[in-house]
PDB file of all heavy atoms in Angstrom:
ATOM      1  N   GLY D  90      -3.284  34.409  11.312  1.00  0.00           N
ATOM      2  CA  GLY D  90      -3.478  35.725  10.737  1.00  0.00           C
ATOM      3  C   GLY D  90      -4.906  36.168  10.530  1.00  0.00           C
ATOM      4  O   GLY D  90      -5.525  36.619  11.462  1.00  0.00           O
ATOM      5  N   MET D  91      -5.429  36.059   9.369  1.00  0.00           N
ATOM      6  CA  MET D  91      -6.761  36.517   9.042  1.00  0.00           C
ATOM      7  C   MET D  91      -7.829  35.441   9.205  1.00  0.00           C
ATOM      8  O   MET D  91      -8.612  35.167   8.303  1.00  0.00           O
ATOM      9  CB  MET D  91      -6.749  37.046   7.577  1.00  0.00           C
ATOM     10  CG  MET D  91      -5.762  38.171   7.337  1.00  0.00           C
ATOM     11  SD  MET D  91      -5.531  38.574   5.580  1.00  0.00           S
ATOM     12  CE  MET D  91      -7.205  38.815   4.996  1.00  0.00           C
ATOM     13  N   GLU D  92      -7.793  34.738  10.338  1.00  0.00           N
ATOM     14  CA  GLU D  92      -8.718  33.679  10.645  1.00  0.00           C
ATOM     15  C   GLU D  92      -8.595  32.502   9.669  1.00  0.00           C
ATOM     16  O   GLU D  92      -9.528  31.704   9.490  1.00  0.00           O
ATOM     17  CB  GLU D  92     -10.179  34.156  10.700  1.00  0.00           C
ATOM     18  CG  GLU D  92     -10.453  35.154  11.844  1.00  0.00           C
ATOM     19  CD  GLU D  92     -10.197  34.563  13.205  1.00  0.00           C
ATOM     20  OE1 GLU D  92     -10.727  33.469  13.503  1.00  0.00           O
ATOM     21  OE2 GLU D  92      -9.449  35.181  13.937  1.00  0.00           O
ATOM     22  N   GLY D  93      -7.495  32.415   8.979  1.00  0.00           N
ATOM     23  CA  GLY D  93      -7.228  31.347   8.024  1.00  0.00           C
ATOM     24  C   GLY D  93      -7.597  31.676   6.629  1.00  0.00           C
ATOM     25  O   GLY D  93      -7.313  30.886   5.703  1.00  0.00           O
ATOM     26  N   LEU D  94      -8.287  32.783   6.379  1.00  0.00           N
ATOM     27  CA  LEU D  94      -8.707  33.146   5.038  1.00  0.00           C
ATOM     28  C   LEU D  94      -7.496  33.390   4.144  1.00  0.00           C
ATOM     29  O   LEU D  94      -7.502  32.999   2.973  1.00  0.00           O
ATOM     30  CB  LEU D  94      -9.601  34.386   5.051  1.00  0.00           C
ATOM     31  CG  LEU D  94     -10.245  34.754   3.737  1.00  0.00           C
ATOM     32  CD1 LEU D  94     -11.073  33.623   3.176  1.00  0.00           C
ATOM     33  CD2 LEU D  94     -11.094  36.022   3.926  1.00  0.00           C
ATOM     34  N   ASP D  95      -6.432  33.982   4.694  1.00  0.00           N
ATOM     35  CA  ASP D  95      -5.238  34.206   3.923  1.00  0.00           C
ATOM     36  C   ASP D  95      -4.614  32.822   3.467  1.00  0.00           C
ATOM     37  O   ASP D  95      -4.277  32.673   2.279  1.00  0.00           O
ATOM     38  CB  ASP D  95      -4.194  35.028   4.722  1.00  0.00           C
ATOM     39  CG  ASP D  95      -3.986  34.501   6.165  1.00  0.00           C
ATOM     40  OD1 ASP D  95      -4.796  33.663   6.627  1.00  0.00           O
ATOM     41  OD2 ASP D  95      -3.041  34.948   6.789  1.00  0.00           O
ATOM     42  N   ALA D  96      -4.571  31.916   4.390  1.00  0.00           N
ATOM     43  CA  ALA D  96      -4.007  30.594   4.056  1.00  0.00           C
ATOM     44  C   ALA D  96      -4.947  29.855   3.056  1.00  0.00           C
ATOM     45  O   ALA D  96      -4.443  29.220   2.137  1.00  0.00           O
ATOM     46  CB  ALA D  96      -3.884  29.732   5.326  1.00  0.00           C
ATOM     47  N   LEU D  97      -6.227  29.996   3.223  1.00  0.00           N
ATOM     48  CA  LEU D  97      -7.196  29.340   2.287  1.00  0.00           C
ATOM     49  C   LEU D  97      -6.966  29.848   0.863  1.00  0.00           C
ATOM     50  O   LEU D  97      -6.828  29.091  -0.064  1.00  0.00           O
ATOM     51  CB  LEU D  97      -8.617  29.554   2.718  1.00  0.00           C
ATOM     52  CG  LEU D  97      -9.696  29.096   1.762  1.00  0.00           C
ATOM     53  CD1 LEU D  97      -9.660  27.569   1.632  1.00  0.00           C
ATOM     54  CD2 LEU D  97     -11.098  29.578   2.234  1.00  0.00           C
ATOM     55  N   LEU D  98      -6.935  31.185   0.728  1.00  0.00           N
ATOM     56  CA  LEU D  98      -6.769  31.726  -0.601  1.00  0.00           C
ATOM     57  C   LEU D  98      -5.409  31.395  -1.191  1.00  0.00           C
ATOM     58  O   LEU D  98      -5.271  31.113  -2.380  1.00  0.00           O
ATOM     59  CB  LEU D  98      -6.964  33.236  -0.564  1.00  0.00           C
ATOM     60  CG  LEU D  98      -8.402  33.717  -0.242  1.00  0.00           C
ATOM     61  CD1 LEU D  98      -8.472  35.181  -0.079  1.00  0.00           C
ATOM     62  CD2 LEU D  98      -9.359  33.205  -1.303  1.00  0.00           C
ATOM     63  N   SER D  99      -4.346  31.404  -0.390  1.00  0.00           N
ATOM     64  CA  SER D  99      -3.001  31.043  -0.865  1.00  0.00           C
ATOM     65  C   SER D  99      -2.954  29.594  -1.329  1.00  0.00           C
ATOM     66  O   SER D  99      -2.246  29.273  -2.259  1.00  0.00           O
ATOM     67  CB  SER D  99      -1.982  31.261   0.217  1.00  0.00           C
ATOM     68  OG  SER D  99      -1.856  32.622   0.526  1.00  0.00           O
ATOM     69  N   THR D 100      -3.701  28.687  -0.662  1.00  0.00           N
ATOM     70  CA  THR D 100      -3.653  27.277  -0.990  1.00  0.00           C
ATOM     71  C   THR D 100      -4.534  26.956  -2.181  1.00  0.00           C
ATOM     72  O   THR D 100      -4.127  26.144  -3.015  1.00  0.00           O
ATOM     73  CB  THR D 100      -4.105  26.461   0.246  1.00  0.00           C
ATOM     74  OG1 THR D 100      -3.292  26.822   1.366  1.00  0.00           O
ATOM     75  CG2 THR D 100      -3.960  24.997  -0.017  1.00  0.00           C
ATOM     76  N   VAL D 101      -5.678  27.576  -2.253  1.00  0.00           N
ATOM     77  CA  VAL D 101      -6.643  27.217  -3.328  1.00  0.00           C
ATOM     78  C   VAL D 101      -6.357  27.880  -4.623  1.00  0.00           C
ATOM     79  O   VAL D 101      -6.683  27.355  -5.707  1.00  0.00           O
ATOM     80  CB  VAL D 101      -8.088  27.501  -2.842  1.00  0.00           C
ATOM     81  CG1 VAL D 101      -8.450  28.976  -2.896  1.00  0.00           C
ATOM     82  CG2 VAL D 101      -9.057  26.660  -3.602  1.00  0.00           C
ATOM     83  N   GLN D 102      -5.682  29.041  -4.642  1.00  0.00           N
ATOM     84  CA  GLN D 102      -5.507  29.825  -5.909  1.00  0.00           C
ATOM     85  C   GLN D 102      -4.190  29.414  -6.583  1.00  0.00           C
ATOM     86  O   GLN D 102      -3.247  30.215  -6.687  1.00  0.00           O
ATOM     87  CB  GLN D 102      -5.489  31.318  -5.575  1.00  0.00           C
ATOM     88  CG  GLN D 102      -6.846  31.849  -5.198  1.00  0.00           C
ATOM     89  CD  GLN D 102      -7.832  31.888  -6.313  1.00  0.00           C
ATOM     90  OE1 GLN D 102      -7.721  31.170  -7.318  1.00  0.00           O
ATOM     91  NE2 GLN D 102      -8.864  32.753  -6.177  1.00  0.00           N
ATOM     92  N   MET D 103      -4.193  28.241  -7.102  1.00  0.00           N
ATOM     93  CA  MET D 103      -2.978  27.710  -7.812  1.00  0.00           C
ATOM     94  C   MET D 103      -3.088  28.046  -9.325  1.00  0.00           C
ATOM     95  O   MET D 103      -4.160  28.092  -9.887  1.00  0.00           O
ATOM     96  CB  MET D 103      -2.861  26.226  -7.627  1.00  0.00           C
ATOM     97  CG  MET D 103      -2.550  25.852  -6.184  1.00  0.00           C
ATOM     98  SD  MET D 103      -0.964  26.500  -5.630  1.00  0.00           S
ATOM     99  CE  MET D 103       0.147  25.736  -6.798  1.00  0.00           C
ATOM    100  N   PRO D 104      -1.960  28.264  -9.950  1.00  0.00           N
ATOM    101  CA  PRO D 104      -1.969  28.542 -11.375  1.00  0.00           C
ATOM    102  C   PRO D 104      -2.325  27.280 -12.158  1.00  0.00           C
ATOM    103  O   PRO D 104      -2.135  26.163 -11.720  1.00  0.00           O
ATOM    104  CB  PRO D 104      -0.513  28.937 -11.713  1.00  0.00           C
ATOM    105  CG  PRO D 104       0.318  28.294 -10.636  1.00  0.00           C
ATOM    106  CD  PRO D 104      -0.545  28.243  -9.391  1.00  0.00           C
ATOM    107  N   SER D 105      -2.890  27.509 -13.345  1.00  0.00           N
ATOM    108  CA  SER D 105      -3.269  26.429 -14.209  1.00  0.00           C
ATOM    109  C   SER D 105      -2.120  25.475 -14.426  1.00  0.00           C
ATOM    110  O   SER D 105      -0.994  25.919 -14.685  1.00  0.00           O
ATOM    111  CB  SER D 105      -3.781  27.029 -15.556  1.00  0.00           C
ATOM    112  OG  SER D 105      -4.147  25.988 -16.412  1.00  0.00           O
TER     113      SER D 105
END
Side-chain angles (χ1 to χ4, degrees):
M91 299 168 55
E92 296 300 307
L94 187 57
D95 48 348
L97 174 64
L98 293 173
S99 294
T100 306
V101 77
Q102 292 289 24
M103 292 299 299
S105 180

